[in-house]
Amino acid sequence: MYADGSGVPQNATEAVRWYRKAAEQGNAVAQFNLGMMYAQGSGVPQDEAEAVRWLRKAAEQGNAAAQNHLGWMYKQGSGVPQDATEAVRWFRRAAEQGHARAQNNLGWMYDQGRGVPQDATEAVRWYRKAAEQGHAVAQFNLGMMYAQGSGVPQDEAEAVRWLRKAANQGNQDAQQLLQKLGYK
């Protein structure tokens, strides 16, 4: 309530205090939220190592959002040594639970060959899972795979279909590409 200002004045410091009480009792959602507060420096000084500590606790309990964010921190080397293999491990755990952002991230790792052998077919598989859930970046990525014939047969109509879905959600890359290609 304090984090969102729902029913009480918004107060990040108070939010941290209450998240910490629940997090210390093992509540995975509170651990995730506390980790994010440290990652963003909201209500506490920014501390990526402390963010990782709390995110890991939540991730190990199966919290998909924490798993995805922990994967991102390994991908970027934020609060932990950069480690693409470890990033893939956490993205996969979240992706297998249906977390769209993690599915897109895992697709990107396959697309780029980061932490896994490069595999366009596997990239398409994960992009599609996220795209079908309405994830705009994944829709753009899937559209690009169809446009390039990477991991799927080249198919302009299918590329445009996915790029339009992304563009309709405000994805500027998709909007610009469609305009460049002469599509509205």
Side-chain angles (χ1 to χ4, degrees):
M1 304 291 275
Y2 281 110
D4 297 332
S6 300
V8 294
Q10 191 170 15
N11 184 327
T13 305
E14 272 301 295
V16 166
R17 187 167 82 82
W18 289 102
Y19 284 150
R20 186 178 314 282
K21 286 178 182 284
E24 288 172 349
Q25 293 179 48
N27 182 288
V29 173
Q31 290 167 342
F32 168 72
N33 289 333
L34 185 57
M36 293 306 294
M37 298 296 271
Y38 275 106
Q40 298 161 359
S42 180
V44 290
Q46 187 174 18
D47 184 336
E48 291 176 342
E50 191 67 5
V52 167
R53 185 170 87 82
W54 287 107
L55 290 170
R56 184 178 313 281
K57 287 176 182 288
E60 288 172 350
Q61 290 191 65
N63 182 290
Q67 291 168 341
N68 178 63
H69 202 79
L70 190 56
W72 185 258
M73 293 189 83
Y74 274 105
K75 178 182 174 283
Q76 300 300 110
S78 299
V80 291
Q82 193 171 24
D83 185 336
T85 304
E86 193 68 5
V88 165
R89 182 170 85 91
W90 289 109
F91 287 150
R92 184 178 311 282
R93 287 178 68 178
E96 288 173 350
Q97 292 186 64
H99 191 280
R101 185 172 289 155
Q103 291 169 336
N104 180 67
N105 290 337
L106 185 57
W108 187 88
M109 298 298 274
Y110 276 106
D111 196 3
Q112 302 300 309
R114 299 270 313 272
V116 289
Q118 192 169 22
D119 184 336
T121 303
E122 194 67 6
V124 165
R125 182 169 90 87
W126 289 107
Y127 286 154
R128 185 180 311 282
K129 286 178 181 287
E132 288 173 350
Q133 290 188 66
H135 190 278
V137 174
Q139 291 168 341
F140 172 79
N141 290 336
L142 185 57
M144 291 301 296
M145 299 299 272
Y146 275 106
Q148 298 163 356
S150 182
V152 289
Q154 191 170 17
D155 184 333
E156 184 177 341
E158 196 66 5
V160 169
R161 184 171 85 86
W162 286 107
L163 291 171
R164 274 202 180 116
K165 286 179 179 282
N168 289 341
Q169 291 192 72
N171 183 288
Q172 291 183 348
D173 292 331
Q175 292 167 351
Q176 290 169 0
L177 183 56
L178 285 168
Q179 187 174 20
K180 181 179 171 185
L181 296 172
Y183 293 96
K184 294 180 179 174

